[in-house]
Amino acid sequence: MCGIVGVIGNTETTDILLNGLEKLEYRGYDSAGIYVNDQNGKDFLVKEVGKISQLRNAVGPDVQGITGIGHTRWATHGEPTVDNAHPHFSSDDRFYLVHNGVLTNFNEIKSEYLSDVQFRSETDTEVAVQLISKFANEGLSAEDAFRKALGIIEGSYAFGLVDTQEPDKIFVAKSKSPLLIGLGDGFNVICSDAMAMLDRTNKFVEIHDGEVVILEKDKVSISKLDGTPVEREYYTVDIDANDISKGTYDTFMLKEIDEQPVVMRKISSHYLDGNKVNVDPALINELKEADRLYIIAAGTSYHAGLAGKEIFEKLCDIPVDVEVASEFGYHMPKLSKKPFFLFLSQSGETADSRQVLVKVNELGLPSLTMTNVPNSTLSREANYTMELLAGPEIAVASTKAYTANIAVEAVLAKALGEAKGIQAAIDLDLKAQLAMAANGIQTIIDEKSLFEGIARDYLTDKRDAFYIGRGVDYALSLEAALKLKEISYIHSEGFAAGELKHGTISLIEKDTPVFAFISDKIGQDHTRGNIKEVEARGAKVLRIVSSDFAQEGDQIVLPEIDQMISPLISVVPAQLIAYYASLQRGNNVDQPRNLAKSVTVE
Ligand code: F6R
């Protein structure tokens, strides 16, 4: 999704902007631009469709200054064109604006306030910059014009605004979309994600919704929309620069798949002291009171929630509903008497999940966010946070955050189950299981060439593919199919193995690839029956089977692990198959078309 960077007070502004935008590339975008002002009457605007490398080529050596804003745009209103790319500017060339989010009332603003303005773009953002300019031309200061516009604008936004008449300031505001301030030595920055500026600073200040920030080179003034000043301390981000580079890998995705054993060990040593679980006792006490757990998430995190359902229900004796965030918020079912909300989000910024959390907070209901980004919006706004500890995940396709999420769900389930005196939780040696997961994942990733061959054998020239399974394998099939479709662009579906014959089996023809998971004890015989059904119709089936249930002829036999957390291991073949299928088709594995890493619009 759109990414914002900005800097004030640094002679390397152009470099800082371009490097920062490169670090935000992972979020997904289709055009980019920068605006640079030398605070001495000269300024530059460069915008390009395509990659940052194209923008870099278009930026001449004369583009230098000490104030600047930059943007990667993921098209929402209007196609990816230079005119629609940010920064946008007012008709009088006075104000330059970058924006992340969606303004819901931009049409109303256009007709009510800006009927005489000639627009250059189709974007909602241009409406905002023209509105600010209109108020300034009516006699307001830039700051007051900005505040007045913010009072009218509805929707989601993170804004960085430069006024050419006061280029020693950047005017900043946010609502619902992420934005941070970074504190440099003699200069200051803004960014959608700390990663964009980690090579310049590790000190960051949060901006809360509805706040306005005036950023100067040596001063940060935060206030509420009505002008009331706000004091806020900075926090430090401890991410090793190596964590956000590819190192010796060609792609982030493969690096992140390979990091999963380390992540399992990190989760184990952080949360488990022998068999004792370290989880906030206040959280466990609150959860003990709950009569139902609502897991809210999107995409891969939703699939991690489906896998978690079985773990919580078994270990904690609590009913669990797993809900797609974008549906749940607007069609909330009748809640139980004592609900507890668990938000799963790698980025901690997903707008669909966030809108549910806002409603949950309005209802005064308790919540926990499991996230990979501790200072993210969902983390700040929930009552409790548990970190996934996966390290930065840069590839758009989520891999290590999925397995980390399931492992952290298992940690929480064990802590809660033990507190409730449930024998299954007391008996579970999670430390040993996570060690088995780490070793099991390693065994699979040591066999990469096997999966490279499978991708070639099963998926070359194929349009469709299916993943099937029952129980925990059904939840896993949904994730496996998502991984394959999002990066290889092969149409793939995850199916409950038993449901296939109720319609979808009509799509099976000669050599249709069907990947079948068998880790579920109760369902295994029936799944094997379903495999026979599709084979009888010509499908080319790959059986991926837990060692406990392996039979002669099964092609992939997975290392041993408790069935409940088996997706920790069984997802890895699917990640690798998707990875190689994408590579073999010549796709951009890390940044698949149309997708964004941090989905900050609803
Ligand atoms: C798929 C993927 C997405 C995300 C989804 C939610 O590989 O990464 O489906 O899982 O956009 O994102 P988070 O977890 O950041 O809330």
Side-chain angles (χ1 to χ4, degrees), residues 298-301 345-347 350 396-398 482-483 486 599:
T300 287
S301 294
S345 177
Q346 187 283 131
S347 65
T350 300
V396 164
S398 185
L482 175 61
K483 222 56 354 172
E486 68 181 330
V599 185

Side-chain angles (χ1 to χ4, degrees), residues 164-399:
T164 51
Q165 295 184 6
E166 291 180 78
D168 55 344
K169 292 183 180 125
I170 300 180
F171 299 89
V172 179
K174 92 166 224 28
S175 182
K176 298 184 192 155
S177 300
L179 197 63
L180 293 171
I181 299 161
L183 306 179
D185 191 4
F187 68 98
N188 288 313
V189 297
I190 51 169
C191 47
S192 301
D193 181 326
M195 271 192 256
M197 292 294 171
L198 273 181
D199 55 345
R200 297 285 169 170
T201 181
N202 66 352
K203 291 184 193 154
F204 292 91
V205 182
E206 291 166 3
I207 311 172
H208 293 183
D209 283 2
E211 290 177 346
V212 176
V213 183
I214 316 277
L215 201 66
E216 294 169 78
K217 73 177 172 34
D218 44 14
K219 200 166 149 203
V220 176
S221 318
I222 309 177
S223 57
K224 297 197 174 144
L225 190 54
D226 64 10
T228 316
V230 174
E231 290 297 325
R232 186 157 307 125
E233 289 296 309
Y234 70 80
Y235 63 92
T236 50
V237 171
D238 297 315
I239 295 178
D240 189 325
N242 288 329
D243 287 351
I244 52 172
S245 83
K246 277 189 227 156
T248 54
Y249 285 85
D250 290 336
T251 61
F252 280 107
M253 185 175 174
L254 197 60
K255 176 173 177 262
E256 289 159 8
I257 290 173
D258 278 1
E259 282 168 352
Q260 292 176 106
V262 174
V263 174
M264 290 300 113
R265 294 192 183 101
K266 208 164 151 192
I267 290 169
S268 175
S269 65
H270 181 86
Y271 286 112
L272 300 169
D273 191 356
N275 214 22
K276 184 179 169 313
V277 191
N278 297 319
V279 175
D280 184 348
L283 163 63
I284 298 302
N285 283 339
E286 204 148 349
L287 264 165
K288 264 169 81 180
E289 299 299 310
D291 63 0
R292 185 172 283 263
L293 184 60
Y294 291 87
I295 299 182
I296 311 292
T300 287
S301 294
Y302 169 71
H303 298 153
L306 292 174
K309 175 180 163 77
E310 171 141 350
I311 307 175
F312 285 112
E313 291 191 339
K314 270 204 180 131
L315 297 188
C316 312
D317 190 27
I318 185 170
V320 179
D321 283 2
V322 189
E323 306 280 352
V324 168
S326 56
E327 283 296 310
F328 188 84
Y330 297 102
H331 305 92
M332 212 181 263
K334 188 170 163 38
L335 298 176
S336 69
K337 289 203 169 63
K338 290 217 136 249
F340 189 101
F341 284 83
L342 169 56
F343 290 85
L344 306 182
S345 177
Q346 187 283 131
S347 65
E349 299 294 349
T350 300
D352 289 325
S353 301
R354 205 240 170 168
Q355 52 89 11
V356 182
L357 179 54
V358 168
K359 287 174 187 136
V360 164
N361 284 340
E362 280 165 9
L363 293 169
L365 298 171
S367 59
L368 158 70
T369 292
M370 285 184 183
T371 180
N372 208 22
V373 185
N375 281 291
S376 57
T377 307
L378 284 162
S379 155
R380 286 201 310 268
E381 295 182 357
N383 303 121
Y384 302 94
T385 294
M386 286 178 80
E387 269 191 69
L388 299 186
L389 303 169
E393 190 180 68
I394 312 283
V396 164
S398 185
T399 52

Side-chain angles (χ1 to χ4, degrees), residues 451 454 458 514-517 540-544 555-556 577:
F451 297 99
I454 288 170
Y458 281 74
V514 176
F515 302 101
F517 290 114
K540 184 168 172 172
V541 179
L542 183 87
R543 289 181 294 279
I544 306 170
Q555 297 96 324
I556 306 290
I577 290 169

Side-chain angles (χ1 to χ4, degrees), residues 35-80:
Y35 169 76
V36 175
N37 187 306
D38 75 351
Q39 295 192 6
N40 205 14
K42 257 203 198 150
D43 61 358
F44 308 87
L45 177 69
V46 190
K47 308 201 271 187
E48 283 291 316
V49 174
K51 293 287 165 199
I52 303 298
S53 52
Q54 285 158 267
L55 178 67
R56 214 180 250 290
N57 288 339
V59 172
D62 55 322
V63 179
Q64 298 297 337
I66 36 185
T67 301
I69 48 178
H71 189 270
T72 48
R73 174 173 186 257
W74 187 82
T76 55
H77 295 66
E79 285 178 24

